[in-house]
């Protein structure tokens, strides 16, 4: 019952800014990608697959921003930090996931 409401908020806060991606500074883009990644993962209703779908969404957003697709091997290498970064994002503490996003943007 909550998914529809959360998707609506996600659309308003993130997807509505899709056309602005090419004009974002690098730091604005990092912040946007980090926050949208965490928030999408928290909405995704399935135990499996949310990371893959979230990465596809991030690649799509990065392509629109002119950055191309991303290499997530850094995230795989630091998987425990990645998971803790997502958990911190539950409390809207995005600084850790921003560090990971900054590390993979070309």
């Amino acid at each position: 019952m909550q998914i529809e409401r959360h998707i609506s908020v996600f659309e308003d806060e993130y997807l509505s800014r899709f056309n602005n991606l090419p004009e974002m500074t690098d730091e604005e883009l990092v912040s946007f990608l980090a926050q949208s990644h965490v928030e999408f993962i928290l909405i995704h209703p399935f135990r499996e697959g949310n990371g893959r779908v979230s990465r596809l969404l991030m690649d799509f957003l990065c392509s629109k921003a002119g950055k191309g697709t991303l290499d997530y091997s850094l995230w795989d290498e630091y998987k425990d930090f990645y998971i803790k970064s997502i958990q911190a994002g539950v409390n809207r503490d995005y600084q850790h996931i921003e560090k990971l996003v900054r590390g993979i943007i070309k």
Side-chain angles (χ1 to χ4, degrees), residues 20-64:
N20 299 336
L21 288 168
E23 287 81 38
M24 287 185 183
T25 66
D26 285 347
E27 278 307 305
E28 288 171 334
L29 182 62
V30 164
S31 180
F32 175 83
L33 292 173
Q35 291 177 27
S36 64
H37 183 74
V38 169
E39 296 304 322
F40 186 78
I41 282 180
L42 296 177
I43 294 169
H44 196 282
F46 305 108
R47 181 179 178 107
E48 294 297 323
N50 62 353
R52 288 184 294 270
V53 172
S54 298
R55 290 176 186 199
L56 280 172
L57 176 59
M58 190 183 287
D59 279 343
F60 181 67
L61 297 171
C62 280
S63 292
K64 175 67 174 180

Side-chain angles (χ1 to χ4, degrees), residues 14 27 30-39 74-75 81-104:
Y14 299 102
E27 278 307 305
V30 164
S31 180
F32 175 83
L33 292 173
Q35 291 177 27
S36 64
H37 183 74
V38 169
E39 296 304 322
L74 177 72
W75 291 15
F81 183 74
Y82 170 76
I83 291 169
K84 290 179 183 184
S85 297
I86 298 297
Q87 292 169 343
V90 170
N91 295 316
R92 299 201 182 272
D93 178 3
Y94 302 112
Q95 65 180 323
H96 309 293
I97 194 71
E98 286 176 359
K99 182 176 181 179
L100 287 170
V101 170
R102 203 173 287 111
I104 62 171

